Amino acid sequence: MGVVQRQGIKNTISSYAGILIGFISLLVIQPQLMKPEEIGLARVLFAFSTLISSFISLGVANMTIKYFPIFKNEKNGHHGFLGFVLLFPIVGFIFSSIGIIIFREFIIAQYRRESPMFIDYFNYIFPFSMFLAFGTVITTYLISLFKTTVPSYLSDVYTRLAYIALILAYYFQWLSLPQFIGGYVAVYAGQLLLLIIYLRSVDRPSLSINWDFLRSKNVKEMVSFGVLLSFTAIAVLGLKSLDAVLLGKFLPLSFVGIYAVASFIPTIIEAPYNALDRIVTAKVAHFIAEGKTESIKDVYYKSVKYLSVIAGLLFVGVNCNIESLLRLIGKDYSQGVQVVWIISVGSLINMMGGANNGIVLYSTKYWMAACISLVLVMLSFALNMILIPRLGLQGAAISTALSWGGYTLIRVYLVYRRYEFQPYGLATMKTLFIILLCIAVNFIIPDLQNDVMDIIMRSTVLGGSYLLMVYLLKIVPEFHHYLPWENK
């Protein structure tokens, strides 16, 4: 089993463990132990800080993936590459902090009417965004070393378990609300510390920059690449965070809390992509640097086919059970049914794009991806500003799905323009047919009075039917030898 498969499996397990914990936290624990406005407060703080952290990083994550292979030399601490890349978030934090301070009153004014609680905790954004940014830099450095399992665990499992512990402490009044929010920020400080400890245990990085070696490798090109790709990073995080940030401007935090719960559910669909991307992106960067076009093609085609099949199964499972699931959480959360459907479509499109992200970012077309990303994030901002006041939660969901789906489709086009890779064919058509058929069957299945039993019944019938049709239509015949009856 290769490195990609082995670490991909481990990352998938970690991602789904995190999804399960997040599911229990956001869909069971938080609605029962926290008010919707408290959930909304945490969501807006996280979304806002995530957005600021993308400015702080200044594109250093993408630069690390692309250029680390040139510097890689464990004996001399990789020529001080870690020290070099850490300069970026340090500078970024200084300038971002100055910008926030200058525009502080303007930002606060946007939330004074609907989300005054957010204003009380505005200053937490400074340390929160810093911990997120530096955590991203260290995580990316570890990914470049192909050490992805522990960072995945810390991101997917540790942060969610620690947050549940905080919620319980807050519910039993062991913590005040300011202490709870401070603890939430401290969770990510702890993640950063653990990442540093792990990095020291698996590698011997040096913070002492070898300037002579650095100058010999065209620093100007590296910095230009990093700064330009920072726009892409900002755009990607903007596409994911703008909905929550702008909901807090137009609607009370209680609605943001409901949206946080509903919009979390489709993340189940994208978990395999996120797990695979952590290791595949680094491999693709190496293949591009070495000119291994066939290896890039193999990764891309397989990722499209496998992720499409998995995404289809999860899409059917999530959306055919969503009404029963949200009723179990609480009647207020039933407003999120359409949000889940809409965002799920965007998630399905993103999954069906396969591993195109790394191919675009580390090819010669990266500048085009950066420009298109900026256009899309501006489009997302405009759509949110227009649709949220008119459609509320559904408006935010539509904006997110359109922007994210559009970003994926453009990446598919750019890969085709650069390499003439076209991975969509009969297998894709079969997968889409199965998805639509299962959705149609769902509407004729009678509802059971008990929501839990209804979820079990639909999951069994539709999940079984989906997998059976995937098998009968031979969409992934290369996996049939794992089935016991195929080996007889």
Side-chain angles (χ1 to χ4, degrees):
M1 185 179 292
V3 173
V4 172
Q5 289 178 302
R6 185 170 59 252
Q7 295 202 28
I9 291 170
K10 290 180 180 178
N11 290 346
T12 300
I13 293 171
S14 174
S15 292
Y16 273 106
I19 289 289
L20 177 61
I21 295 167
F23 182 92
I24 295 170
S25 172
L26 198 52
L27 305 185
V28 179
I29 295 176
Q30 292 184 43
Q32 300 301 320
L33 305 186
M34 298 175 71
K35 299 175 183 178
E37 57 267 28
E38 293 168 342
I39 300 174
L41 172 63
R43 171 70 174 179
V44 171
L45 278 172
F46 181 80
F48 205 101
S49 299
T50 300
L51 198 56
I52 298 300
S53 73
S54 65
F55 288 91
I56 293 174
S57 299
L58 294 176
V60 72
N62 293 309
M63 188 183 73
T64 300
I65 294 293
K66 182 176 178 66
Y67 291 102
F68 178 76
I70 299 174
F71 287 79
K72 190 173 182 179
N73 189 321
E74 188 174 353
K75 291 182 179 179
N76 59 24
H78 310 298
H79 302 283
F81 187 78
L82 179 61
F84 175 65
V85 297
L86 286 175
L87 292 176
F88 286 76
I90 292 172
V91 173
F93 179 71
I94 293 171
F95 281 99
S96 296
S97 297
I98 292 172
I100 293 172
I101 292 170
I102 292 173
F103 293 102
R104 175 189 173 90
E105 291 305 316
F106 172 79
I107 297 170
I108 286 176
Q110 308 305 308
Y111 294 88
R112 185 167 283 120
R113 179 180 176 182
E114 297 292 352
S115 306
M117 190 186 297
F118 173 66
I119 298 172
D120 297 335
Y121 297 92
F122 183 82
N123 287 338
Y124 284 86
I125 288 171
F126 291 95
F128 206 167
S129 58
M130 181 185 70
F131 295 139
L132 288 170
F134 278 88
T136 298
V137 173
I138 301 300
T139 295
T140 308
Y141 189 86
L142 286 165
I143 288 173
S144 296
L145 294 168
F146 302 112
K147 303 293 183 181
T148 63
T149 304
V150 171
S152 296
Y153 171 81
L154 292 175
S155 175
D156 298 329
V157 178
Y158 156 76
T159 55
R160 290 183 169 100
L161 286 177
Y163 189 50
I164 290 175
L166 281 174
I167 293 170
L168 293 172
Y170 177 62
Y171 176 74
F172 288 111
Q173 300 183 347
W174 298 338
L175 298 175
S176 63
L177 184 58
Q179 290 171 330
F180 168 74
I181 296 299
Y184 187 32
V185 176
V187 166
Y188 289 88
Q191 180 190 17
L192 174 59
L193 178 61
L194 291 170
L195 283 169
I196 293 171
I197 292 171
Y198 176 65
L199 175 59
R200 294 286 298 173
S201 70
V202 299
D203 191 39
R204 294 187 294 176
S206 173
L207 297 180
S208 179
I209 304 170
N210 185 337
W211 291 105
D212 291 333
F213 185 85
L214 190 65
R215 279 189 288 268
S216 70
K217 299 304 176 184
N218 198 340
V219 180
K220 183 178 179 180
E221 177 188 307
M222 293 172 57
V223 173
S224 298
F225 177 84
V227 172
L228 183 58
L229 265 292
S230 69
F231 296 126
T232 302
I234 292 166
V236 169
L237 289 176
L239 293 175
K240 291 184 176 181
S241 306
L242 272 176
D243 49 4
V245 170
L246 293 177
L247 272 172
K249 168 180 168 60
F250 292 108
L251 299 173
L253 285 176
S254 58
F255 284 91
V256 182
I258 293 169
Y259 184 84
V261 171
S263 62
F264 170 79
I265 296 172
T267 62
I268 297 171
I269 299 172
E270 293 194 57
Y273 174 87
N274 296 329
L276 187 66
D277 189 57
R278 288 171 183 154
I279 182 63
V280 165
T281 296
K283 294 294 290 185
V284 166
H286 278 71
F287 291 151
I288 290 174
E290 296 167 2
K292 296 181 177 179
T293 304
E294 285 302 313
S295 297
I296 300 169
K297 181 178 180 180
D298 184 59
V299 169
Y300 184 40
Y301 276 58
K302 287 181 178 178
S303 67
V304 167
K305 182 163 68 169
Y306 301 154
L307 290 178
S308 295
V309 172
I310 296 170
L313 176 63
L314 296 173
F315 181 88
V316 169
V318 165
N319 290 287
C320 291
N321 290 301
I322 192 58
E323 291 187 28
S324 296
L325 179 60
L326 291 179
R327 278 197 300 267
L328 287 172
I329 296 172
K331 63 178 182 179
D332 290 341
Y333 295 92
S334 293
Q335 301 174 63
V337 170
Q338 292 181 341
V339 170
V340 175
W341 271 97
I342 294 167
I343 295 181
S344 291
V345 172
S347 297
L348 179 63
I349 293 172
N350 190 35
M351 283 281 283
M352 296 184 76
N356 59 23
N357 187 53
I359 300 174
V360 171
L361 291 182
Y362 304 111
S363 72
T364 56
K365 299 293 184 182
Y366 67 87
W367 61 271
M368 189 180 295
C371 295
I372 292 171
S373 299
L374 278 178
V375 172
L376 282 172
V377 79
M378 289 188 286
L379 175 63
S380 176
F381 180 82
L383 286 172
N384 275 291
M385 294 292 287
I386 294 169
L387 296 178
I388 292 176
R390 290 168 172 77
L391 301 176
L393 304 182
Q394 289 76 20
I398 291 170
S399 302
T400 298
L402 285 176
S403 303
W404 197 241
Y407 182 58
T408 301
L409 293 175
I410 289 172
R411 293 202 310 262
V412 170
Y413 172 72
L414 290 177
V415 171
Y416 178 74
R417 279 285 303 273
R418 174 66 179 83
Y419 292 102
E420 296 188 354
F421 292 164
Q422 204 294 90
Y424 303 100
L426 185 58
T428 308
M429 297 302 296
K430 291 178 180 178
T431 302
L432 290 173
F433 168 75
I434 296 171
I435 294 171
L436 293 174
L437 184 59
C438 287
I439 296 296
V441 170
N442 176 64
F443 288 109
I444 63 175
I445 296 177
D447 295 328
L448 300 182
Q449 295 299 313
N450 185 291
D451 286 324
V452 174
M453 294 305 298
D454 191 77
I455 291 173
I456 294 173
M457 181 267 292
R458 289 178 189 275
S459 298
T460 302
V461 172
L462 295 173
S465 299
Y466 184 98
L467 293 173
L468 179 61
M469 285 187 283
V470 167
Y471 170 70
L472 294 176
L473 293 176
K474 298 181 178 179
I475 297 176
V476 284
E478 59 268 36
F479 284 94
H480 285 192
H481 68 275
Y482 289 109
L483 301 173
W485 59 86
E486 290 285 346
N487 292 323
K488 291 182 179 180

